[in-house]
Amino acid sequence: AQSVAQPEDQVNVAEGNPLTVKCTYSVSGNPYLFWYVQYPNRGLQFLLKYITGDNLVKGSYGFEAEFNKSQTSFHLKKPSALVSDSALYFCAVRDMDSSYKLIFGSGTRLLVRP
Amino acid sequence: KAGVTQTPRYLIKTRGQQVTLSCSPISGHRSVSWYQQTPGQGLQFLFEYFSETQRNKGNFPGRFSGRQFSNSRSEMNVSTLELGDSALYLCASSPEAGDTQYFGPGTRLTVL
């Protein structure tokens, strides 16, 4: 069965510093991986995805993610954090057994302090 | 293009009642999926529709049902509401099944 894990409930970083939000996955076959962000009282906004190709994926709002097959990880990164990046971040994998549903991690709250 | 819209945004119901939530996908998108988000269980898949057919269903009781219309709009229904059904219900659409899913703002359901 496919699964994703986000080992950190919360990540704290100072504005201007680089940020990393961690995600590891377990899938059979090639993974389809996604990152979404959720602001308070809002739905999920798509940030980026990895399907195949370059291991470094660039997405919206300056975010990028690095796919590492040997470590089964797909960490979200940003070179310089903004206070406005503070939100809840979800990693997800597409369930290859059930075709199209997304399996989400538990979420990581990012807090960027001024 | 307009994004995914969900109505209503907020609902308050009492136990035993039923509720219908609506989702309008992005224009041209044919696949609609529904998810339930709660603090305890996180984001869980409910079901997915494509061309008016339910193709996948998550591990939820039969009280949860849905449908999709010919214009790709979708509704989900929850009957005999329980306190544990209180959640944010999110709808997502994609151009084709398996494409990137784009989410609506959700409907916040509170069951008293």
Side-chain angles (χ1 to χ4, degrees), chain B residues 17-106:
Chain B
Q17 288 187 308
Q18 75 166 18
V19 67
T20 299
L21 312 182
S22 182
C23 171
S24 293
I26 293 171
S27 177
H29 286 196
R30 299 198 293 162
S31 174
V32 173
S33 298
W34 289 88
Y35 294 83
Q36 182 197 64
Q37 185 179 21
T38 60
Q41 299 298 316
L43 281 154
Q44 294 187 288
F45 172 78
L46 279 158
F47 23 66
E48 185 250 345
Y49 289 88
F50 183 80
S51 292
E52 302 178 65
T53 301
Q54 184 184 92
R55 299 201 304 178
N56 289 296
K57 190 177 194 303
N59 189 24
F60 280 82
R63 302 184 296 106
F64 291 81
S65 63
R67 58 179 177 169
Q68 186 181 34
F69 302 95
S70 58
N71 61 359
S72 294
R73 190 176 69 85
S74 179
E75 290 181 346
M76 67 164 282
N77 185 76
V78 188
S79 62
T80 319
L81 284 166
E82 301 177 359
L83 295 178
D85 297 333
S86 294
L88 181 67
Y89 290 89
L90 292 164
C91 169
S93 75
S94 58
E96 299 288 339
D99 286 342
T100 300
Q101 295 182 17
Y102 296 91
F103 285 79

Side-chain angles (χ1 to χ4, degrees), chain A residues 14-31:
Chain A
E15 187 174 31
N17 283 1
L19 69 87
T20 299
V21 183
K22 296 179 180 178
C23 171
T24 58
Y25 65 88
S26 174
V27 301
S28 53
N30 296 320

Side-chain angles (χ1 to χ4, degrees), chain A residues 32 34 36 38 41-46 48-49 51 88 90 94 97-106, chain B residues 9-10 33 35 37 43-45 48 55-56 58 88 90 97-106 108:
Chain A
Y32 284 38
F34 303 81
Y36 286 86
Q38 186 176 36
N41 299 317
R42 304 282 293 275
L44 275 66
Q45 294 181 27
F46 170 72
L48 50 81
K49 67 180 177 183
I51 295 178
L88 189 56
F90 289 95
R94 200 175 89 185
D97 293 337
S98 297
S99 301
Y100 306 119
K101 75 176 185 182
L102 291 175
I103 298 171
F104 286 90
S106 55
Chain B
R9 291 292 310 277
Y10 301 92
S33 298
Y35 294 83
Q37 185 179 21
L43 281 154
Q44 294 187 288
F45 172 78
E48 185 250 345
R55 299 201 304 178
N56 289 296
L88 181 67
L90 292 164
D99 286 342
T100 300
Q101 295 182 17
Y102 296 91
F103 285 79
R108 172 77 60 186

